[in-house]
Amino acid sequence: MSVTVRVPAKVNVQLAVGAARPDGFHDLANVFLAVGLYDEVTVTEADELRVTCAGPDAGQVPLDRTNLAARAAEVLAARYGIEPAVHLHIAKDIPVAGGMAGGSADGAGALLACEALWNTGATREELLGICAELGSDVPFSLTGGAALGTGRGEKLAPLEVGGTFHWVFAMAGRGLSTPAVFREFDRLAQGRDIPEPVASQQVLDALAKGDADALAAAVTNDLQPAALSLYPELVETLKAGRSAGALTALVSGSGPTTAFLVRDGAAAEKVAEALRASGTCRSVRMASGPVAGATVID
Ligand code: C5P
């Protein structure tokens, strides 16, 4: 028997970052939007826990127990006294180390798939708790839609969204490590007062209205200066998308994927074409959101 779960990527339409906490994490006001780029995780009964991955970036995905999909299976199995004897296969379409929660998506996907396979009876709350243990962005990969994440990003409040937002994403030539980007944020913040992160009312209103122009005027990412400091070439990608008519351009989460908000599908085609022609990125994808979180499809 096997179960397949489809899980979306995310873009952050606001990422407000506070000062480093004693535990090394940062308090966030993190407005997540799930977008239609997906990984699929298939779990099948096997002799022992094993992870495989296919897709253009598959070579960069760890197949050992550090993979969040493997950890999700182990944590759920340990709670319910089950042997995690499963084969987890990840069909990967979300960029690896890209700032779009690809690893988190696989964790949430594997958790939901294993739950469907084993029928432990774990409640949604319990699954969300396990997601939060696995990583700050993993709960959102399970819920999808749009949400405000506080704490280190794992405490979620769902948000109303009044329309569909169209995006173009430019995948960069190499990845960026999230801890490295937060460390660079700390370095750049030295000697400055970092305010408490708070959700932007403008961002929330723009989402609620489904108003792309208002959202474009309101998006912020406090990790962007750190990502650009570690990956200065991204400035050229941002410029290329802006000059092709994107309403706004920003780094997605900790990067290095860059995200371009556009008015509609036709504008998306135009911006995507210009980004491809610019030679400033590895590949280009179009996706819109919000979309549902982790879902059993088979
Ligand atoms: O929670 P997760 O394991 O995804 O976080 C990866 C790394 O990102 C952490 O080890 C930490 O360095 C950084 N991080 C942070 N503050 C957050 C979330 C992540 O400093 N709120």
Side-chain angles (χ1 to χ4, degrees), residues 253-280:
S254 57
T257 305
T258 42
F260 303 86
L261 181 60
V262 292
R263 193 159 287 124
D264 52 30
E269 296 277 1
K270 191 169 159 227
V271 170
E273 195 46 52
L275 282 166
R276 279 190 200 104
S278 75
T280 63

Side-chain angles (χ1 to χ4, degrees), residues 37 47 58 76 78 117 148 154 166 169 224-225 255 266 288:
L37 275 183
D47 291 338
L76 184 67
L117 186 73
L148 169 63
E154 87 287 13
H166 300 269
F169 296 98
Q224 181 157 318
S288 52

